[in-house]
Amino acid sequence: MNSDNRTHPQPIRRIAHLDMDAFYASVELLRYPQLKGLPVVIGGGRSAVQAALDALADDPEAQAGGNPRAHIPVEAFARLKDYVGRGVITTATYPARQFGIGSAMGLMKAAKLCPQAIQLPVDFEEYRRFSRQFKQIILSIAPQMENRGVDEVYIDFTEVPGGQREGGRVLARLIQKSIFDATGLTCSIGVAPNKLLAKMASEFNKPNGIAIVHDDDLQTMIWPLACRKINGIGPKADSRLQSHGIHTIGELAAKDEQWLIDHFGPSTGAWMHRAAWGRDDRPVVTESEPVSMSRETTFERDLHAVRDRAELGAIFTRLCQQVASDLQRKGYVGKTIGIKLRFDDFKIATRDQTLAWHTADAKTIRDAAGQCLKRVPLQRRLRLLGVRVGSLAREGEAPQLPAGARHEVREAAAPHGDIWTGQLF
DNA sequence: TCTGGGGTCCTAGGACCC
DNA sequence: TCTGGGGTCCTAGGACCC
């Protein structure tokens, strides 16, 4: 017997997934507490009423002290029924969800379900502020944290003091309380042997809940769930599974691994089998480098490549400038320049070109993206235009463009016209 | 009354090299 | 002349996630 095993028992792997509850909406309710308990949706552009509200809220004379936004009467807010435009909902408050409103739903459709719901525009700056704040708090308690966007993280509890107590519940409660005390926001936490199960567990007791899952709970807690609850099984994979009569994770687990490989390929099939059996050994990754940066925009109305060429050209140039300044601000350069188009029939086309040297220069990006554009047939009207820079490297760590040399952009072979290229710089 | 923006990863074919 | 592999990079599309 190794006595060390008794003094230092091997810790059991405990991974937490933390998900802020209705994050954007909750942040907005801190600014507008008078909306608490009402159906509110965040999404879409700025309504005229909202712009007026902000002007009032930011007026120094209106700031008698405290939060001037809190004194804006509820009647003054924009209602969903008055909204005009193409936006989708990013977050709905729990009262709004009672009406069947959910995220990713079009605002126009949501207006039918609940016309009197209050609409607020998104304010990413504000959400990022709160995001940094709650993540700092987590890091001060548990340093092994993986970012999953503004409102989600994975945390490795395994080596954290108290991380093993009650399967992780004690530490989860501490984190919840610390975040609430500092920000006034609630979150839900799942703790499990791995990321896959932790992610599912964090949904069990929403909002403001904690769920603990152990290996033994697989059959009782995981297998009854729909396959769709597995992070990585989306609408396509789910409907293919359903067509084979597989609806729950338990039914998926009952399938032979070879059968899944035969129907979904060696990689996806084997992964599905492992996931259904609750197996996942991915580590919590505390640092990662970006792979690409992009900017895209959906137009207020569909635009015609020829008739609206001036407008499109200006938008195209602006997107290139935005990506370039994003790259520069964050200290990256990229080598693969690409565009993305969405047509009025919602079909998507992408084109890209890889340069000989990395760049973060707006003009170079604009030139390369312009050549990509020439390779796309533009018969249909456009709904969206995007510009992407990939194959990123940290500025200074990529091979440098030789002194005096210029970026060479390959001309498109068999171009579909030179629609908006040329005269924009 | 349809359906945002910013990402990651995977697949598959072709070019090109050894 | 006709036949291989393997490896890497590039490109286009698509699924999925937050």
Side-chain angles (χ1 to χ4, degrees):
Chain A
M1 279 293 278
N2 183 348
S3 62
D4 279 344
N5 280 346
R6 279 192 302 254
T7 28
H8 303 292
Q10 192 69 17
I12 297 166
R13 190 167 190 250
R14 298 304 287 169
I15 306 296
H17 179 262
L18 180 150
D19 196 3
M20 299 301 291
D21 298 321
F23 185 54
Y24 297 180
S26 304
V27 170
E28 294 293 351
L29 287 179
L30 292 175
R31 294 205 281 193
Y32 303 112
Q34 65 272 47
L35 302 181
K36 217 166 280 175
L38 299 173
V40 177
V41 302
I42 317 296
R46 307 178 60 77
S47 56
V49 178
Q50 191 57 44
L53 286 176
D54 285 352
L56 171 66
D58 293 334
D59 179 358
E61 297 217 1
Q63 302 195 23
N67 172 13
R69 288 188 161 90
H71 305 297
I72 297 167
V74 171
E75 309 80 58
F77 285 84
R79 302 291 156 156
L80 215 39
K81 64 179 162 58
D82 301 317
Y83 188 80
V84 189
R86 314 188 109 157
V88 296
I89 288 165
T90 58
T91 310
T93 59
Y94 289 95
R97 294 177 193 197
Q98 308 271 285
F99 290 88
I101 293 174
S103 54
M105 182 180 285
L107 285 165
M108 294 304 196
K109 186 177 173 190
K112 285 207 245 175
L113 294 169
C114 185
Q116 76 276 20
I118 286 158
Q119 179 252 336
L120 295 174
V122 288
D123 182 352
F124 286 110
E125 262 320 302
E126 184 75 351
Y127 312 148
R128 268 194 292 267
R129 238 169 40 78
F130 277 88
S131 182
R132 282 192 292 270
Q133 207 185 344
F134 87 77
K135 286 172 186 173
Q136 265 316 113
I137 290 159
I138 295 168
L139 282 171
S140 71
I141 298 169
Q144 298 294 307
M145 183 190 82
E146 174 177 335
N147 257 314
R148 300 298 294 184
V150 278
D151 67 339
E152 279 188 39
V153 292
Y154 288 104
I155 312 159
D156 196 332
F157 275 18
T158 313
E159 307 278 355
V160 179
Q164 300 281 338
R165 292 177 59 197
E166 297 177 33
R169 187 181 300 277
V170 173
L171 188 54
R173 268 202 294 257
L174 172 67
I175 290 175
Q176 262 187 340
K177 182 174 185 328
S178 304
I179 291 175
F180 183 79
D181 288 348
T183 66
L185 297 169
T186 67
C187 62
S188 296
I189 301 177
V191 194
N194 58 50
K195 286 161 89 171
L196 177 88
L197 296 175
K199 168 85 178 165
M200 292 191 264
S202 67
E203 271 196 58
F204 288 173
N205 294 315
K206 252 180 174 311
N208 202 16
I210 292 171
I212 304 298
V213 170
H214 296 284
D215 283 319
D216 297 349
D217 300 321
L218 187 70
Q219 290 190 44
T220 54
M221 297 176 82
I222 305 297
W223 281 0
L225 301 176
C227 296
R228 199 55 233 278
K229 296 290 179 189
I230 294 174
N231 189 246
I233 293 186
K236 302 286 182 179
D238 190 47
S239 81
R240 282 178 67 191
L241 287 168
Q242 301 234 20
S243 74
H244 289 106
I246 303 166
H247 302 95
T248 66
I249 298 173
E251 287 164 357
L252 185 60
K255 281 289 175 190
D256 208 51
E257 182 180 12
Q258 191 55 51
W259 185 91
L260 289 167
I261 287 172
D262 291 343
H263 286 79
F264 292 91
S267 167
T268 306
W271 169 76
M272 279 179 172
H273 188 260
R274 272 183 277 126
W277 283 87
R279 297 173 193 145
D280 173 24
D281 52 16
R282 291 171 300 162
V284 169
V285 178
T286 55
E287 278 175 45
S288 66
E289 284 291 304
V291 171
S292 69
M293 289 183 200
S294 66
R295 285 293 188 122
E296 63 184 55
T297 187
T298 296
F299 315 131
E300 286 182 19
R301 59 180 179 92
D302 296 343
L303 297 179
H304 191 277
V306 176
R307 227 172 314 129
D308 300 309
R309 70 187 294 273
E311 199 174 342
L312 280 166
I315 292 168
F316 193 29
T317 299
R318 180 165 47 79
L319 290 169
C320 293
Q321 288 167 334
Q322 285 174 332
V323 183
S325 92
D326 292 343
L327 287 163
Q328 290 162 23
R329 181 164 32 85
K330 295 173 183 165
Y332 287 90
V333 288
K335 209 155 82 99
T336 304
I337 315 297
I339 59 162
K340 170 177 166 184
L341 306 175
R342 174 137 55 200
F343 298 101
D344 55 4
D345 62 356
F346 245 71
K347 291 224 162 57
I348 292 170
T350 63
R351 294 292 181 275
D352 57 45
Q353 176 183 339
T354 301
L355 304 176
W357 306 95
H358 288 75
T359 186
D361 172 57
K363 170 141 179 28
T364 305
I365 293 168
R366 180 64 170 78
D367 288 347
Q371 291 302 322
C372 291
L373 190 64
K374 288 190 195 175
R375 312 208 305 261
V376 190
L378 296 173
Q379 323 302 341
R380 304 200 69 102
R381 308 236 285 197
L382 295 170
R383 178 184 178 89
L384 168 148
L385 180 60
V387 175
R388 195 185 89 100
V389 176
S391 312
L392 299 187
R394 279 219 121 92
E395 184 189 6
E397 285 175 21
Q400 299 288 307
L401 182 71
R406 294 177 45 202
H407 283 281
E408 288 192 31
V409 172
R410 277 192 314 284
E411 297 279 320
H416 290 275
D418 55 348
I419 307 289
W420 325 312
T421 51
Q423 58 225 307
L424 294 151
F425 265 94

